[in-house]
Amino acid sequence: MALGKKLSPLFFGLVLLVGLLAFLNWPQEQAGQTMAKKLTPVKVYEASNKLFPVTIDALGTATANESVTLTAQVADTVTRVLFDDGDKVEAGQLLVQLNNKEEVARVAQLQVSLEEAKRQLSRIKNLAKTSAASEQLLDEQQALVKSLEAQIAVANAQLDDLQIKAPFNGRLGIRRVSVGSLVRPADEITTLDDISVIKVDFNVAENHLASMALGQKVTATSVAYPGREFSGEITAIDSRIDPVTRSILSRAVINNPESELRPGMLMQVTIEKQVLDTLVIPEEALVPNADKQFVYVVAENNVVSEREVIVGERRPGWVQIVKGLNAGEQIIVEGTLRVRDGSEVRVLNRDTLES
């Protein structure tokens, strides 16, 4: 018991000494950890001058280069159908034959009458040379020949009306008739579209009128072909501005050799207005406040400063900076919501910045 009493003061002294040392060292380590936690991780982008195309975006509708609904000129019965749905056809190709028996017989009859009239005319001419036939008789026979020739021309035209032919090269639509069908004028037989070239009609606001010109290049996209761009050029600009929408109708032509684009498609049209060599930053770096725009600039000591900037032209994902920022300055693009003016940050991508 005496030995335990002698050791107790020494034991308690050692415990106090260890506790004191731990107490003195603990706040410094904790303070360092706390400071490290306060450094917000961010990613930055180095502002630089780049070629920045200024574009006009518009929605347009695709139409065929040539388009027609094929119909009959007269009422009659279909005797032959010489095409299938979706066929490619050439100009002048016969597609549908209507009943023409009566007209064919009429032409044959007139041909016989014409041949007989010509023989009579030849005989009268020979008689007229010897004054055996009068000039009046000759004139009457010549008039008869001309009359029969005119009647044959009319009959042949009627025969043509009974044949439905392709007026131009193109692709047919769905067949609407069958052999034996009775068709009347204005009855739809099928459609024909020339889609080797696609026209895209679109409207642009009147404030862009000065930037529009014939021959100007455009690109168009469609939801049917994600990631694809179709190139064309402006071929027509309307002579009038719509007084209701204050927009002007324009037309672009796009080559379509593979028939990928079809009439009726909704097209997103982009017109290149001009190309600027200017200071450009990602749109995500902007921090709006009321009617102003700000960015967070990171200095070499990793301290953030809030900077007001003047924004110019915009493109999807990118903006032109007119004033407030210099080339080479680093701005925060990820982590803008976690910092404020004067914050100290930890830059995660400083070694991999894109120029």
Side-chain angles (χ1 to χ4, degrees):
M1 292 294 294
L3 180 59
K5 290 180 180 180
K6 290 181 180 179
L7 292 176
S8 295
L10 180 60
F11 176 77
F12 285 114
L14 290 172
V15 171
L16 290 173
L17 180 60
V18 172
L20 178 61
L21 292 174
F23 177 78
L24 293 175
N25 290 324
W26 179 82
Q28 295 179 357
E29 293 178 359
Q30 186 67 24
Q33 294 175 0
T34 303
M35 289 297 293
K37 289 180 180 179
K38 288 183 178 178
L39 295 180
T40 304
V42 297
K43 288 187 178 181
V44 298
Y45 177 87
E46 187 173 296
S48 60
N49 280 31
K50 292 185 176 182
L51 294 179
F52 187 69
V54 180
T55 59
I56 305 169
D57 294 323
L59 289 176
T61 301
T63 59
N65 182 42
E66 301 289 349
S67 181
V68 67
T69 298
L70 297 177
T71 60
Q73 299 296 317
V74 296
D76 220 317
T77 305
V78 175
T79 58
R80 287 192 297 165
V81 177
L82 305 172
F83 71 93
D84 289 322
D85 301 336
D87 277 357
K88 285 187 176 181
V89 296
E90 297 181 355
Q93 182 175 331
L94 180 61
L95 304 177
V96 174
Q97 176 66 62
L98 301 182
N99 183 17
N100 63 353
K101 291 181 180 179
E102 183 178 345
E103 286 72 14
V104 169
R106 173 66 174 160
V107 170
Q109 180 185 19
L110 290 172
Q111 287 286 3
V112 171
S113 298
L114 178 61
E115 289 174 4
E116 177 60 24
K118 285 183 176 179
R119 282 195 297 269
Q120 291 293 335
L121 177 61
S122 178
R123 186 176 65 84
I124 293 173
K125 282 183 177 179
N126 291 331
L127 292 174
K129 290 178 181 178
T130 60
S131 300
S134 65
E135 289 294 330
Q136 181 180 356
L137 183 60
L138 178 63
D139 292 341
E140 289 175 353
Q141 193 61 32
Q142 287 176 333
L144 177 60
V145 170
K146 291 180 180 179
S147 175
L148 289 170
E149 288 175 342
Q151 291 179 55
I152 290 176
V154 171
N156 283 326
Q158 291 172 344
L159 274 175
D160 287 341
D161 288 342
L162 296 171
Q163 292 183 329
I164 313 302
K165 298 179 180 180
F168 49 81
N169 298 345
R171 184 185 293 275
L172 298 172
I174 303 299
R175 178 163 60 94
R176 306 290 184 183
V177 297
S178 299
V179 173
S181 300
L182 176 64
V183 294
R184 300 176 178 84
D187 286 352
E188 181 179 338
I189 294 173
T190 188
T191 57
L192 176 62
D193 294 304
D194 173 12
I195 56 174
S196 60
V197 171
I198 286 292
K199 299 173 182 176
V200 181
D201 294 338
F202 57 94
N203 286 282
V204 295
E206 66 174 321
N207 60 302
H208 295 305
L209 179 59
S211 303
M212 304 284 290
L214 297 181
Q216 197 167 1
K217 301 300 181 183
V218 303
T219 57
T221 58
S222 169
V223 293
Y225 302 100
R228 289 280 305 278
E229 286 190 348
F230 300 89
S231 299
E233 64 178 33
I234 296 175
T235 57
I237 300 173
D238 201 355
S239 59
R240 298 181 180 181
I241 292 177
D242 190 319
V244 177
T245 62
R246 300 300 177 189
S247 62
I248 187 167
L249 180 64
S250 304
R251 171 173 289 174
V253 168
I254 299 173
N255 287 328
N256 189 37
E258 302 299 326
S259 301
E260 295 170 306
L261 301 178
R262 298 297 176 93
M265 275 185 168
L266 178 66
M267 307 293 291
Q268 175 72 44
V269 181
T270 301
I271 308 128
E272 190 173 283
K273 190 175 178 181
Q274 58 181 318
V275 179
L276 303 175
D277 186 1
T278 186
L279 189 65
V280 178
I281 66 170
E283 194 172 25
E284 59 190 322
L286 294 178
V287 180
N289 187 355
D291 59 344
K292 297 180 179 180
Q293 298 286 349
F294 296 85
V295 295
Y296 288 117
V297 181
V298 180
E300 292 183 359
N301 59 357
N302 292 334
V303 175
V304 174
S305 61
E306 187 179 55
R307 187 91 58 82
E308 182 182 356
V309 293
I310 305 299
V311 174
E313 299 289 343
R314 291 177 179 262
R315 286 190 64 196
W318 298 92
V319 295
Q320 175 197 17
I321 300 301
V322 177
K323 186 178 180 182
L325 193 65
N326 298 317
E329 291 187 299
Q330 296 179 359
I331 56 173
I332 296 176
V333 292
E334 290 187 22
T336 54
L337 298 178
R338 301 192 299 269
V339 299
R340 61 181 181 178
D341 190 43
S343 297
E344 189 174 354
V345 296
R346 179 163 53 92
V347 179
L348 300 178
N349 65 328
R350 178 158 284 164
D351 295 333
T352 59
L353 288 180
E354 297 180 359
S355 58

